[in-house]
Amino acid sequence: MKYTGWPDPGDLVVGRVDEIEDFGVFVDLLEYTDRRGLVHISEVASGWIKNIRDHVNTGETVVCKVLDVDESAQQIDLSVKDVNDHQRSEKIQEWKNEQKADKWMTLAFGEDVSDEQYGTVANELLSVFGTLYEGFEQAAIHGEDTLSETDLTDEEITTIVDTARENVSVPYVTVTGYVHLRSSNPNGVDDVRAALESAEGNGEVSDEVELGVTYVGSPEYRIKVRAPSYKVAEDELTETVERARAVIEERGGTADFHRERQTEAE
């Protein structure tokens, strides 16, 4: 997908060097339709430039900062030297991600998808998530609920989620904690078992979360949560402990949470 409009001053854009002249470099903007910019020789690199071709090559992919846009003159002024290494790396990765998302759109809606449908779906994802890639990634993690704010049809939402879950590699994080469950009641074993069943969520844990509660050594149990972000993982860890605590305390027992293991290694 390429944008049909114009970039704004201050934007970072990806381009390919098309022509090199003594006064500057012409760059085709790869994210835009029929847009070309000029990097004046003074914006190619810092300091005095003896030979501009020592700094850029024809066909090279570059990241530029947009200095000025004159739509009436069809002119875009660019700078290469104003982009630092970190910005360049992040922008290239973002561009590559959008290329992936463009392929996912084709997988989802077919090679013969109309420009109208493609544009409608893409604009909905862009308006809610900022990028197509983020839209697909969130769909892979959270499913259809994450697309509820869009005006996409149910069929389109299902298609995006199915495609995302087949193709998007979602980053996951893992957090771990430990809880001591104690009950002095004659049927204390049953109390602990009930607390553990509640901790495991009774089948109500979100599909995006992998939760495991395992025995470490009396009275300690390990809680391991795998989720798409630290916030989600930490929230689920807290909720797991509180589910166990509510049950064990209702039966007269106690639940003590800690980050590090406290029993001896088996």
Side-chain angles (χ1 to χ4, degrees):
M1 182 183 118
K2 290 190 176 185
Y3 300 115
T4 56
W6 295 81
D8 294 319
D11 285 353
L12 295 182
V13 294
V14 179
R16 181 168 289 116
V17 176
D18 180 48
E19 293 182 43
I20 301 176
E21 303 291 348
D22 291 339
F23 59 84
V25 178
F26 289 100
V27 176
D28 290 332
L29 303 190
L30 301 180
E31 301 163 286
Y32 291 81
T33 301
D34 298 328
R35 297 287 178 250
R36 195 183 196 214
L38 172 66
V39 182
H40 188 268
I41 188 171
S42 63
E43 295 295 335
V44 170
S46 299
W48 181 68
I49 297 177
K50 180 179 180 180
N51 185 346
I52 195 171
R53 290 170 178 80
D54 290 337
H55 299 273
V56 289
N57 298 303
T58 302
E60 179 182 355
T61 299
V62 293
V63 176
C64 305
K65 181 178 181 180
V66 178
L67 300 178
D68 189 47
V69 176
D70 186 340
E71 295 183 27
S72 61
Q74 300 281 298
Q75 182 173 324
I76 303 172
D77 295 329
L78 305 169
S79 174
V80 171
K81 73 175 185 179
D82 284 354
V83 181
N84 62 42
D85 290 341
H86 177 70
Q87 290 172 320
R88 183 177 300 106
S89 177
E90 281 202 334
K91 182 61 184 180
I92 287 293
Q93 187 59 55
E94 176 188 313
W95 174 60
K96 289 180 178 178
N97 286 345
E98 288 303 271
Q99 289 182 306
K100 290 181 183 178
D102 187 54
K103 292 179 181 178
W104 296 336
M105 286 283 287
T106 301
L107 287 174
F109 299 102
E111 295 282 353
D112 57 349
V113 60
S114 68
D115 291 343
E116 181 180 0
Q117 183 183 22
Y118 187 107
T120 298
V121 173
N123 287 332
E124 284 296 316
L125 294 178
L126 289 170
S127 66
V128 175
F129 302 101
T131 67
L132 291 182
Y133 185 87
E134 182 68 14
F136 273 92
E137 185 172 74
Q138 291 302 310
I141 295 170
H142 300 289
E144 296 181 358
D145 288 345
T146 199
L147 300 174
S148 61
E149 296 182 19
T150 68
D151 289 330
L152 299 174
T153 66
D154 291 343
E155 183 179 353
E156 288 171 336
I157 289 174
T158 299
T159 299
I160 290 172
V161 170
D162 289 346
T163 303
R165 287 184 165 166
E166 289 178 4
N167 295 279
V168 180
S169 297
V170 178
Y172 273 80
V173 298
T174 301
V175 297
T176 303
Y178 297 83
V179 62
H180 283 188
L181 299 175
R182 296 183 177 91
S183 175
S184 58
N185 293 329
N187 58 347
V189 173
D190 292 334
D191 295 341
V192 171
R193 183 181 295 112
L196 291 173
E197 290 176 354
S198 180
E200 291 173 343
N202 297 315
E204 296 180 2
V205 176
S206 171
D207 290 341
E208 68 181 340
V209 172
E210 294 180 15
L211 170 65
V213 183
T214 56
Y215 175 75
V216 175
S218 183
E220 190 170 39
Y221 295 84
R222 180 190 294 112
I223 303 171
K224 185 176 181 180
V225 181
R226 186 171 182 266
S229 72
Y230 278 108
K231 182 180 185 308
V232 173
E234 290 290 345
D235 287 349
E236 183 57 46
L237 180 60
T238 299
E239 291 172 10
T240 300
V241 173
E242 291 309 310
R243 287 194 295 267
R245 189 191 306 280
V247 171
I248 201 76
E249 290 184 351
E250 182 181 3
R251 296 169 178 242
T254 61
D256 300 309
F257 174 73
H258 44 273
R259 283 289 181 178
E260 301 298 327
R261 179 174 179 175
Q262 295 184 353
T263 59
E264 292 295 329
E266 297 174 344

